[in-house]
């Protein structure tokens, strides 16, 4: 039985400068490039929680509402929200900053899940997560619902059995 | 009013060889790198449907079940499933192939959405999509449900109003 | 004796978007970058025919007549034309497309040759190629002449002995 | 009328270290990657001769006889051999070196041609080349034959009219 | 007269995963790659202090004592130490972590200087820096000595005039 | 006892074209990218002197006085100045050239040091260097002073003991 770890122990901050090859013909950061950075940042967070090699298991719906421009600074903060046996859910938030213009905006948030594996790539147990702050506790609690949604979307759970998720759609 | 276009007109095939820098310490393709390739492939498909510059609006849940190895050939096929005013949903399937070993497997499928924009980055109308085959018709029909799920997850629709989506969770 | 394979079994389609780092100061795709992409696309085709690791043996004369612009979509289609013991000739065609402008043009065609090798890098036999369509039959027939030209240019065949090639330059 | 320039004024030396992403699964440099480097080195040489922006017009047959390994040092030397109005032929030689092993070998040689262009991409006249050494004079003389071969291969010259080239295939 | 800013306002954390192309044949991070990352991280810090575009003016002596391995996580923390008219000195510390092995070590520290420039690349005034903590005050005080060393090394100050620096080498 | 080698035996010339991803928002080459190229060029020089794998030990103060623009050609020349047991100091000079404009300028010079290592990464003896030209002899002689400065800056030598260095700051 592994000793549980605190959420803050898995915190990672990653910073990237948007370079020409990261942009489309409107000089905006391409969505896929950001998904790539987010995956690396979230993976390091899951590594920190598990002290293991980790592989990406899934990324939840990510939406891109604001264009991020060439030369902007992208800051990502990732933290594990909950562990389930060998898998971990990581919450990641993204900000973009045009420093000379003094503008900073929240642009994305997403949940990635990772599986910890041994040197042969076989899943291996990870420590439980201890949530401390209110935000951590909320993320911990809602992780179950997101997990059900993932299983339903992957065809591995019957929507009828997704009790946490179903509650969202039901009337009084 | 733009002339509707067939789904097959937006078909795109993209092929990539997994190189060392695309892999983690287990020599497996990193999830984020694949998300990046899928975004480019799907964006080209949306460009073909709209004949416009397009920007990524969202990616739906993607899961990664099978490791893709260094040296493998990754093939992606993308096709628009449905258009909504200025936005388009693109369905993308991914296969990985170890050619010397004669192994080919389906590894991922995902839905990306894009918005067509003019030179100033403002949304602009796109043609409707005409589904022909059974698969295209299924994808066209289910696009509404996926759209509701995206809106609910983005906090822009009340779950109670997501009629298509709700039906999934209700018992008779 | 390996079972012959059809030309269509080696077909590969590869798609690339021209990004800033692929271009020169006129915002045109650099020739060497295209040669690099074509090599990867043609190599995958040769892999498919041989189910082996392959190494580039040569590229024939390639000319670049039309500029390909930043943001264009480059599509390559490759197919094996003929096999000779352990080597294969691959024909590759390239198109560039400015999708928002609705312009698509044929830009290049080339022949690459590859040698199939085992894990120690030693040449190994590949299946013969069966040409079916008229174009495939033409490419199969003319492969001998191109092979002689390659040998002459590499100083490994006397021009006088290049009977197929000589015929081109002789008057009746 | 532009003042002619000497061949040595266009000499360029370029050195690259073979990194993991440049190699195939046998840890050998991929042919396309080398063609890319050679194109950049040769283009700089043509720039030096013409003091103009240049675009690649063609690359002649290149063969790859020796594997170049991960960690090897690749040295390229390029020099203009002859100018024709707005185009220049560049000769480039490639060596690979395994320095710790004390092994250095000549691996490739090729001819690239470039067209000098103005800021709008239109061809513009370049200086004539003055060959001094014996090697430079040989390359200068044989440039005509190679030019005819390029034109024949591009379908822009009838083989019967390629007098320089034809001589190679004729007896007595 | 610009309003002075606190050192903490310019803090930047950057995280990178060491990928194959970042490493030499011993699978260790190449020094130059790290210098590149450090430059980007330090430049963002100088941008934050000045709210301007910045260009690198110099990097002081950097030594590399510990090998950083493939797959390691590199964390950099940068902070402005002092401003002089249009230039800023940035202190940057680097740690490398082998997370599965639970090893983390301090590997490098360096001082970069940047000049803030306007859109035409001309130097422009930046705010003064207010040091608060003891470490910030030490770095602020010693910045003068490092500045003299830079000027002496660049041949722009006579060693005899570098009073702060000279004191180091004098006996009582 | 290894046979001494001449300085010229370690000469390396490296040429790079400044591409979009190498530049900042003013279209100038980023300092860190140049430091990365210089490290590779200098490392190859140290490899040539020692016929060993080498690892970067330090880079001395580098200043960046002139902006290098997008599309410029950067030429680096490196040469070993002196060897100390298993370490070597390499002197590297950098020029930038805007060829169409006919402008060439000296932009940087720096000293890198490398340690030769065996396959297990352990330091190993290298040949002594024989300086021939006046410039080589000057660099050889002053190498001792630079070495003392490095040791003082790294906290591994007391400034009072740096006799060569101290002389610089002392009055008659």
């Amino acid at each position: 039985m592994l000793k549980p770890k605190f959420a803050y122990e898995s915190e990672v901050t990653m910073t990237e400068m948007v370079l020409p090859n990261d942009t489309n013909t409107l000089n905006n950061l391409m969505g896929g490039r950001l998904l790539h950075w987010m995956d690396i940042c979230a993976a390091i967070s899951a590594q920190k929680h598990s002290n293991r090699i980790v592989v990406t298991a899934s990324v939840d719906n990510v939406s891109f509402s604001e264009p991020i421009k060439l030369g902007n600074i992208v800051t990502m903060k990732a933290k594990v929200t909950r562990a389930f046996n060998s898998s971990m859910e990581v919450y990641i938030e993204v900000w973009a900053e045009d420093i000379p213009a003094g503008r900073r905006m929240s642009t994305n948030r997403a949940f990635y899940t990772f599986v910890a594996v041994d040197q042969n790539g076989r899943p291996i147990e990870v420590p439980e997560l201890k949530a401390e702050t209110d935000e951590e506790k909320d993320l911990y609690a809602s992780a179950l619902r997101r997990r059900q949604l993932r299983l339903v979307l992957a065809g591995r759970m019957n929507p009828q059995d997704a009790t946490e998720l179903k509650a969202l759609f039901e009337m009084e």
Side-chain angles (χ1 to χ4, degrees), chain A:
Chain A
M1 182 64 192
L2 296 163
K3 191 160 160 281
K5 291 175 76 173
F6 289 106
Y8 76 82
E9 296 180 71
S10 64
E11 277 180 353
V12 174
T13 299
M14 199 166 120
T15 306
E16 295 281 341
M17 188 182 285
V18 180
L19 295 177
N21 247 39
D22 305 323
T23 64
N24 62 16
T25 45
L26 294 171
N27 285 334
N28 293 340
L29 177 61
M30 290 188 287
R33 190 69 176 126
L34 181 56
L35 291 171
H36 188 184
W37 289 341
M38 290 163 78
D39 176 56
I40 293 176
C41 181
I44 297 172
S45 175
Q47 267 200 11
K48 283 197 168 184
H49 179 74
S50 61
N51 283 102
R52 292 287 177 183
I53 297 170
V54 301
V55 297
T56 311
S58 71
V59 51
D60 286 4
N61 186 293
V62 184
S63 58
F64 303 86
S65 45
E66 301 288 339
I68 301 178
K69 309 296 297 178
L70 178 63
N72 278 194
I73 305 305
V74 173
T75 306
M76 290 161 271
K77 284 189 192 297
K79 194 156 67 167
V80 173
T81 62
R82 190 163 180 172
F84 299 93
N85 303 313
S86 64
S87 81
M88 293 155 280
E89 188 194 62
V90 178
Y91 178 55
I92 178 164
E93 289 181 277
V94 184
W95 291 267
E97 207 167 351
D98 178 339
I99 296 178
R103 260 199 306 273
R104 179 182 160 99
M105 61 185 174
S106 165
T107 58
N108 305 78
R109 57 200 67 205
F111 294 93
Y112 279 71
T113 57
F114 294 87
V115 172
V117 294
D118 63 22
Q119 281 295 344
N120 302 310
R122 276 185 299 247
I124 191 164
E125 199 197 353
V126 303
E128 286 197 7
L129 183 114
K130 282 189 288 186
E132 289 183 304
T133 69
D134 284 351
E135 192 205 26
E136 286 168 12
K137 285 174 184 167
D138 281 356
L139 287 167
Y140 183 94
S142 53
L144 211 55
R145 190 172 65 239
R146 289 187 297 274
R147 184 171 153 87
Q148 289 187 347
L149 180 55
R150 260 167 240 136
L151 291 169
V152 167
L153 291 172
R156 290 165 54 203
M157 182 184 263
N158 188 320
Q160 307 301 338
D161 301 335
T163 46
E164 288 284 319
L165 191 59
K166 253 175 88 174
L168 277 186
F169 296 97
E170 278 164 3
M171 278 160 285
E172 259 54 352

